[in-house]
Amino acid sequence: MTVHTVAENADELAAAAAGRVVVLASAAIASRGVCRLALSGGRTPQGLHRRLASDAWRDRVDWGRVGIWFADERAVPPDHPDSNYRMARDTLLDHVPIGAKSVHRMRGEAEDLAAAAAEYEATLADPLDVVILGLGEDGHFASVFPGSPLVMERLLRAAAVFDAPKPPPRRLTVTPRVIREARSVLTLASGAGKADAVAQALEGDADIRRCPARMLRTYEWFLDRPAAARLRAPTK
Ligand code: 6PG
């Protein structure tokens, strides 16, 4: 069943998603002793990161028991302004008590991206507990873009991308297999620019190859009002 949470604005969206991360991380830690959490890049998750890193929220997660993974990475060095790792570090990881050894970053700086993907694949044998995803206006998530053969990928868990339509074209990404194997998947979308993609992903009938986010339909979604504006179904 799809659960949409529709917040009034981006700030409330971040608070709602942060609350859910706290609940899911605590449950994972209570049952298995650790929480394997995957982060995404882009603008939308930054409010969630900042909320989790804030003085009021930091202690709600037992960060010493959290491992961090990434849903995707741009092919840039880790200190580059476009690096998803750098964004996560600046907005979250530098502000919570998590050890460097617990952070599994994708090597976006690698010359051989296919080798970096294979290396990352080895860290993904166990399911992720929580995967945070953003949504592209074209219906992509992580770096699984419309028209990409990765939409139908069944065997690999991580892959190199060489022709992403969103710059930069060279990227690393997890595949749909990782999403299917994950215990929870939270997709965040904020702003009117995402309204068509949200409606297509949740209610549309486009081929999944044209709108990869359709495969996220049955998971949890955190939207703000502008992003939810084109949905027909009642939301809570
Ligand atoms: C990336 C992403 C990508 C992102 C969406 C939404 O590295 O570019 O991980 O999948 O989450 O494109 O990005 P915005 O939140 O910036 O719109």
Side-chain angles (χ1 to χ4, degrees):
M1 192 193 74
T2 310
V3 183
H4 315 153
T5 296
V6 181
E8 276 312 310
N9 52 47
D11 198 45
E12 286 184 20
L13 182 161
R20 191 66 183 133
V21 170
V22 168
V23 167
L24 293 169
S26 306
I29 292 166
S31 32
R32 287 173 300 280
V34 291
C35 173
R36 293 161 61 87
L37 170 65
L39 306 175
S40 281
R43 180 181 43 85
T44 319
Q46 296 185 25
L48 163 66
H49 293 180
R50 291 205 168 89
R51 177 72 60 147
L52 289 169
S54 67
D55 288 345
W57 282 72
R58 188 178 300 122
D59 295 341
R60 298 187 198 185
V61 172
D62 184 354
W63 291 104
R65 291 179 178 273
V66 174
I68 299 290
W69 275 259
F70 286 82
D72 73 334
E73 182 57 279
R74 294 98 181 255
V76 294
D79 54 355
H80 190 280
D82 290 341
S83 161
N84 288 345
Y85 166 74
R86 177 180 168 154
M87 183 277 277
R89 209 187 59 199
D90 290 351
T91 54
L92 174 65
L93 304 176
D94 274 355
H95 311 284
V96 294
I98 190 162
K101 282 203 188 114
S102 305
V103 179
H104 307 269
R105 82 174 177 82
M106 291 174 156
R107 286 201 311 112
E109 73 278 24
E111 217 156 278
D112 185 345
L113 277 188
E119 198 180 284
Y120 209 67
E121 169 109 15
T123 73
L124 291 167
D126 293 331
L128 294 165
D129 291 297
V130 186
V131 180
I132 311 286
L133 295 171
L135 173 71
E137 290 176 17
D138 60 358
H140 77 260
F141 66 88
S143 289
V144 179
F145 288 90
S148 163
L150 289 179
V151 176
M152 305 313 256
E153 176 59 49
R154 304 227 142 244
L155 296 176
L156 295 176
R157 292 191 174 98
V161 174
F162 298 98
D163 55 358
K166 176 180 178 179
R170 288 164 48 86
R171 291 160 171 261
L172 290 162
T173 188
V174 300
T175 67
R177 179 175 181 181
V178 170
I179 305 302
R180 282 194 299 274
E181 291 173 343
R183 295 193 172 91
S184 303
V185 179
L186 276 49
T187 305
L188 277 47
S190 164
K194 302 289 170 73
D196 283 335
V198 167
Q200 192 54 249
L202 291 176
E203 296 176 344
D205 51 13
D207 189 291
I208 207 156
R209 282 168 290 207
R210 282 190 39 222
C211 180
R214 264 198 69 177
M215 73 179 74
L216 308 174
R217 186 173 281 190
T218 55
Y219 300 97
E220 292 180 63
W221 287 68
F222 289 82
L223 311 170
D224 60 11
R225 285 218 173 274
R230 302 236 158 92
L231 286 177
R232 288 189 306 269
T235 50
K236 64 170 202 145

